[in-house]
């Protein structure tokens, strides 16, 4: 699988295992997700461009390097993406944030957009889409297609968990989009859930079940 980055740092794997436990409380689940997104953000931002800046230390002036965080847009796919956002914002506090809401049409099963709000000047920006689960890939594919119309400089997709079906679908539709994940699980079930997975991420983040 090219263009897929498996983040297998021991801390990431440890926290992901704790999140999978069905008895993990909403607050534990949310805390772990936030910690994980923090850790994953380091890997996802590894190739961010740096610019030179002059800085005065107490002893002399030097040229240091800084990230232009404002060029980065984190795009949350509602609603579970919101639970994955804060760790990224901790690491890149200057990033802008966009939101995209999609629901599945019960007749056609195609994703339908109900919300879309992005920062200005997207053609100058690098996008990181965040959604904890890449399952069928339908929402991810629709979100990427919609965002590509704004002609951003680049798009990455970050999820906590995916499966071979989701990776294949997103890569087929958008081979240029790098996928970052902490695990590629065994398979999708007939209801579109990842197995063994961790259940419905949105419900587990927001305690709605
Ligand atoms: N969305 C979820 O929240 N969980 C899955 O397993 C698949 C999609």
């Amino acid at each position: 699988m090219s263009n897929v980055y498996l983040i297998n740092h021991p801390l990431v794997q440890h926290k992901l295992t704790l999140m999978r436990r069905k008895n993990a409380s909403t607050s534990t689940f949310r805390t772990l997700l936030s910690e994980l997104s923090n850790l994953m953000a380091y890997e996802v931002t590894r190739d961010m461009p740096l610019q030179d800046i002059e800085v005065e230390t107490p002893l002399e002036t030097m040229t240091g390097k800084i990230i232009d965080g404002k060029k980065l847009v984190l795009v949350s796919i509602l609603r579970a993406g919101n639970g994955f956002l804060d760790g990224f914002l901790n690491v890149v506090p200057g990033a802008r944030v966009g939101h995209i809401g999609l629901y599945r049409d019960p007749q056609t099963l195609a994703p339908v957009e109900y919300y879309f709000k992005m920062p200005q000047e997207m053609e100058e920006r690098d996008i990181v889409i965040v959604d904890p689960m890449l399952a069928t890939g339908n929402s991810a594919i629709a979100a990427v297609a919609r965002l590509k119309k704004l002609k951003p400089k680049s798009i990455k997709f970050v999820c906590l968990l995916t499966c071979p079906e989701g990776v294949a679908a997103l890569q087929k539709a958008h081979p240029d989009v790098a996928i970052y994940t902490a695990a590629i699980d065994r398979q999708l079930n007939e209801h579109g859930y990842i197995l063994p997975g961790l259940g419905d991420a949105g419900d587990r983040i927001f305690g709605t079940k």
Side-chain angles (χ1 to χ4, degrees):
M1 272 182 252
S2 62
N3 229 4
V4 179
Y5 298 87
L6 187 62
I7 303 177
N8 56 7
H9 190 287
L11 287 171
V12 170
Q13 296 303 316
H14 175 85
K15 288 177 193 296
L16 175 58
T17 300
L18 298 182
M19 285 181 78
R20 290 182 188 269
R21 294 175 307 173
K22 67 177 183 189
N23 294 334
S25 68
T26 300
S27 104
T28 299
F29 190 90
R30 206 184 283 148
T31 303
L32 286 165
L33 181 61
S34 167
E35 290 170 357
L36 263 167
S37 61
N38 227 314
L39 295 170
M40 291 179 77
Y42 282 91
E43 209 49 53
V44 175
T45 54
R46 186 183 276 282
D47 61 354
M48 272 180 88
L50 293 168
Q51 62 188 55
D52 288 347
I53 183 174
E54 199 158 280
V55 56
E56 273 181 45
T57 78
L59 299 174
E60 57 182 71
T61 301
M62 65 163 284
T63 305
K65 302 215 175 280
I66 55 159
I67 291 170
D68 186 358
K70 291 196 184 70
K71 290 274 174 358
L72 181 71
V73 183
L74 301 169
V75 174
S76 164
I77 302 188
L78 298 173
R79 71 184 162 146
N82 279 4
F84 209 26
L85 255 184
D86 59 343
F88 283 86
L89 283 171
N90 282 341
V91 174
V92 196
R96 303 294 168 92
V97 178
H99 292 91
I100 179 162
L102 301 160
Y103 72 88
R104 196 193 296 204
D105 182 292
Q107 254 82 53
T108 66
L109 302 184
V112 180
E113 182 182 305
Y114 66 87
Y115 190 77
F116 189 83
K117 187 85 180 171
M118 294 297 141
Q120 303 284 306
E121 293 145 8
M122 290 292 280
E123 61 286 347
E124 290 173 15
R125 302 186 190 279
D126 295 300
I127 294 178
V128 173
I129 303 175
V130 295
D131 189 350
M133 311 299 271
L134 173 59
T136 62
N138 292 341
S139 308
I141 291 167
V144 172
R146 178 70 167 88
L147 290 164
K148 278 186 173 173
K149 290 189 183 151
L150 305 178
K151 304 209 178 325
K153 280 176 30 196
S154 69
I155 304 182
K156 292 176 177 174
F157 187 92
V158 191
C159 57
L160 189 58
L161 258 190
T162 185
C163 54
E165 296 89 334
V167 171
L170 182 54
Q171 285 206 309
K172 182 160 182 247
H174 301 291
D176 53 320
V177 173
I179 301 170
Y180 291 77
T181 185
I184 303 175
D185 275 9
R186 192 180 69 244
Q187 67 181 95
L188 268 190
N189 73 7
E190 64 277 23
H191 305 293
Y193 279 89
I194 295 171
L195 297 176
L198 49 71
D200 188 300
D203 281 339
R204 297 201 64 187
I205 295 165
F206 298 111
T208 40
K209 209 165 183 184

